[in-house]
Amino acid sequence: MAINEPPESLASSSDDNNNLRRRRDGGAKSVDVVTELDSSSAEASSSSDGDGIQEERNEKVENEEDRKVNETTPLKYVYRASAPAHRRNKESPLSSAAIFKQSHAGLLNLCVVVLIAINSRLIIENLMKYGLLIGSGFWRSSTSVRDWPLLMCCLSLPIFPLAAFLVEKLAQKKYMNERVVVTLHIIITTAAILYPVLVILRRDSAFLSGNTLMLFACIVWMKLVSYAHTSYDMRQLAKSVDKGDNSEINYPYTVSFKSLAYFMVAPTLCYQLSYPRSACIRKGWLARQLIKLVIFTGLMGFMIEQYINPIVQMSQHPLKGDVLYAIETVLRLSLPNLYVWLCMFYCLFHLWLNILAELLRFGDREFYKDWWNAKTIDEYWRLWNMPVHKWMVRHIYFPCLRNGIPKGGAMVISFFISAVFHELCIAVPCRLFKFWAFLGIMFQVPLVILTNFLQNKLKNSNVGNMTFWFFFCILGQPMCMLLYYHDVMNRNGSAS
């Protein structure tokens, strides 16, 4: 910062006086320029309509004017004592008016570093206290001979899509009427879900094996429903075009085995004749995602075996013991359960579905949206699992509306179907039907009403978002896990 020094004596040469006069004139001019800019910027600010975009433009203009002043005016005149240091109204960076106008990446990085440090200490402390606790047989038993029937059942599931294709081929050639086609599709889809259920219930397999088979069976069932429903709709459109009712619609009804085969392995649940495709397979990117998938899957298994299993095994039944003890156990279980759930989301929805899409050159990679910013439970279910959400909207929700069912009834039906399949994926592998998962999903309906009410009443997005995190991750999942574990253990104890 340069400041002019006064002349050493009044009796200096005329050149010195002229230089001093020029410097003083230049300094005064620079101050006038800055003041002039301040007044113009203040007028622009006062005439603005308060819109955020206009304020941002004004700020850019002011910054540009400040830059020009700094470039055209010598540095020693800009920073002299008479130059104004405060030229416009500004908010503190963390105030409510300015907090969303700037990046907070540094604070996010701090939170990540703190979380890594704290959890690293907890991991080291746990290993020093209990040692390595890998080896539980409740969740997995991949080398057991008793799981081979489940593998054979999984490998035989493609029989049902093949049967659905044959039905559609016969319908295309008009060998069967619509009533017979619909009946056969109902039989095929029902068999596709009951066949794995019967295999799992007749075999004493591990939980993870049964859960994996049920997930595959539910996916096949939803794909078959979409295939049958879409094909039926295309037949109706083709008939209306033939009659001349909708001559402007050009949506051909074709039955292609190649389209069905691609659909059955593609990362989507909604059937259509063609999908957007990517240009090529990025081999380097694919290798990186596979490495991430192995790492995060191992991390998820480590947290289950090292943290969740010991807490669950040393706990009591949450509905039969001390209430405070049950609350303490749920809260103690909530943190590792949350980590496992986030790892599961990252592995399944981000890594695995993107890997599958890359291998098949499937173009639409929107498998999830920003569900972590959900203000209501209803919004969370619309953002969290986009393949299931699109299937529900296309094949359940809007068909209900077209048949005269109100929106509330259509929403309850959608949650009911989701609750049934959640119960199947958990209760069947456990061979225990207590309907905890079913009740947990159906409990989302009043939570939707509650969070929508809070959002409309308080006009605060944080309240609904915090309510979602609390009921879904902190309370709901740990409680459901404790209930199923103790019921399974009590059943095994009573049977022995």
Side-chain angles (χ1 to χ4, degrees):
M1 189 179 295
I3 300 176
N4 276 341
E5 294 183 358
E8 295 182 356
S9 63
L10 296 175
S12 58
S13 62
S14 60
D15 294 338
D16 294 335
N17 290 331
N18 292 334
N19 291 336
L20 178 62
R21 190 175 296 108
R22 280 197 300 271
R23 291 177 180 177
R24 288 175 179 174
D25 292 339
K29 289 179 181 178
S30 66
V31 173
D32 292 337
V33 170
V34 173
T35 307
E36 217 172 313
L37 290 173
D38 291 339
S39 62
S40 64
S41 64
E43 290 174 0
S45 175
S46 62
S47 62
S48 65
D49 57 355
D51 187 73
I53 300 176
Q54 187 64 32
E55 291 180 0
E56 187 176 352
R57 290 176 179 173
N58 293 337
E59 188 174 352
K60 289 181 179 179
V61 170
E62 292 171 355
N63 293 335
E64 184 67 20
E65 291 173 348
D66 293 344
R67 185 182 64 79
K68 291 180 179 179
V69 169
N70 293 337
E71 290 180 354
T72 58
T73 308
L75 187 65
K76 55 186 176 182
Y77 295 120
V78 174
Y79 290 101
R80 63 182 297 137
S82 58
H86 307 282
R87 298 195 293 269
R88 60 178 179 271
N89 297 336
K90 293 183 179 180
E91 296 287 343
S92 298
L94 294 180
S95 63
S96 58
I99 192 170
F100 296 113
K101 296 180 181 179
Q102 56 195 335
S103 173
H104 297 86
L107 293 177
L108 178 62
N109 293 336
L110 173 63
C111 293
V112 172
V113 170
V114 171
L115 281 174
I116 292 175
I118 293 176
N119 287 281
S120 298
R121 184 192 67 81
L122 293 176
I123 291 173
I124 294 173
E125 181 181 351
N126 182 275
L127 291 174
M128 293 174 61
K129 188 174 181 180
Y130 301 106
L132 196 62
L133 300 178
I134 306 297
S136 174
F138 178 78
W139 301 95
R140 57 178 177 81
S141 182
S142 58
T143 59
S144 177
V145 179
R146 62 185 179 180
D147 290 337
W148 280 101
L150 273 66
L151 178 60
M152 294 298 104
C153 176
C154 186
L155 294 177
S156 62
L157 287 178
I159 295 175
F160 300 101
L162 182 60
F165 169 75
L166 294 177
V167 170
E168 285 300 319
K169 202 67 177 177
L170 294 174
Q172 184 187 27
K173 296 180 178 181
K174 299 181 180 180
Y175 289 158
M176 296 182 297
N177 58 29
E178 287 297 335
R179 180 171 297 180
V180 175
V181 172
V182 173
T183 304
L184 289 177
H185 276 304
I186 292 175
I187 295 173
I188 293 171
T189 52
T190 305
I193 197 69
L194 289 182
Y195 169 51
V197 170
L198 295 176
V199 172
I200 294 173
L201 293 179
R202 290 173 63 90
R203 297 290 176 177
D204 188 18
S205 59
F207 173 81
L208 185 58
S209 301
N211 180 255
T212 304
L213 177 57
M214 282 308 305
L215 284 176
F216 276 113
C218 292
I219 291 172
V220 170
W221 184 86
M222 297 174 78
K223 285 177 178 282
L224 290 178
V225 169
S226 179
Y227 179 68
H229 194 183
T230 305
S231 299
Y232 173 82
D233 193 45
M234 287 193 296
R235 283 198 302 274
Q236 300 304 313
L237 288 175
K239 291 178 181 179
S240 63
V241 170
D242 293 339
K243 293 178 180 179
D245 297 337
N246 294 308
S247 58
E248 72 278 2
I249 297 178
N250 185 16
Y251 208 96
Y253 168 59
T254 58
V255 180
S256 171
F257 181 77
K258 183 178 179 181
S259 298
L260 177 59
Y262 183 84
F263 167 62
M264 294 307 298
V265 295
T268 180
L269 298 174
C270 294
Y271 175 72
Q272 58 193 62
L273 294 176
S274 62
Y275 297 92
R277 305 291 294 274
S278 57
C280 61
I281 298 177
R282 299 168 291 177
K283 297 180 181 178
W285 181 89
L286 188 62
R288 290 193 296 271
Q289 304 309 307
L290 286 171
I291 293 173
K292 290 180 183 178
L293 181 62
V294 172
I295 293 174
F296 278 92
T297 303
L299 179 62
M300 185 166 53
F302 171 78
M303 286 188 291
I304 290 175
E305 299 286 6
Q306 193 72 24
Y307 290 94
I308 293 182
N309 274 352
I311 295 176
V312 171
Q313 291 171 1
M314 293 185 296
S315 64
Q316 298 177 359
H317 197 287
L319 301 181
K320 298 179 180 179
D322 186 13
V323 176
L324 293 179
Y325 180 83
I327 295 175
E328 190 272 337
T329 303
V330 169
L331 294 178
R332 189 151 49 97
L333 191 61
S334 62
L335 189 60
N337 176 80
L338 177 61
Y339 289 161
V340 170
W341 184 67
L342 292 176
C343 283
M344 181 275 299
F345 160 77
Y346 186 71
C347 288
L348 178 59
F349 289 94
H350 184 74
L351 294 177
W352 170 245
L353 291 183
N354 272 288
I355 289 171
L356 189 60
E358 189 70 21
L359 289 172
L360 299 172
R361 292 173 49 211
F362 188 82
D364 189 0
R365 310 289 176 90
E366 192 183 51
F367 305 120
Y368 58 91
K369 292 184 179 180
D370 57 335
W371 55 265
W372 46 88
N373 294 326
K375 305 176 185 64
T376 63
I377 299 294
D378 183 28
E379 186 178 1
Y380 162 76
W381 287 108
R382 293 198 307 268
L383 303 177
W384 139 260
N385 188 340
M386 293 307 296
V388 172
H389 170 69
K390 292 177 181 177
W391 185 90
M392 282 285 185
V393 169
R394 191 186 192 199
H395 300 292
I396 302 297
Y397 186 76
F398 278 109
C400 289
L401 296 182
R402 285 193 293 268
N403 284 277
I405 300 176
K407 291 184 177 181
M411 182 188 69
V412 173
I413 293 174
S414 300
F415 273 105
F416 177 82
I417 294 175
S418 176
V420 170
F421 281 95
H422 276 81
E423 181 68 21
L424 287 176
C425 290
I426 298 176
V428 172
C430 291
R431 292 176 295 281
L432 183 75
F433 292 91
K434 288 295 185 84
F435 297 100
W436 299 124
F438 177 85
L439 294 175
I441 298 299
M442 292 305 297
F443 184 66
Q444 306 296 308
V445 176
L447 283 181
V448 167
I449 300 173
L450 174 63
T451 52
N452 287 337
F453 171 78
L454 292 176
Q455 179 65 21
N456 296 330
K457 189 72 174 178
L458 302 178
K459 303 297 182 182
N460 190 342
S461 61
N462 292 329
V463 174
N465 186 256
M466 292 172 66
T467 305
F468 148 68
W469 281 113
F470 175 76
F471 279 105
F472 197 79
C473 295
I474 305 300
L475 179 63
Q477 293 182 14
M479 178 65 74
C480 188
M481 185 181 300
L482 288 173
L483 289 171
Y484 271 106
Y485 176 82
H486 284 286
D487 287 338
V488 169
M489 291 298 103
N490 292 336
R491 184 206 64 187
N492 294 339
S494 61
S496 61

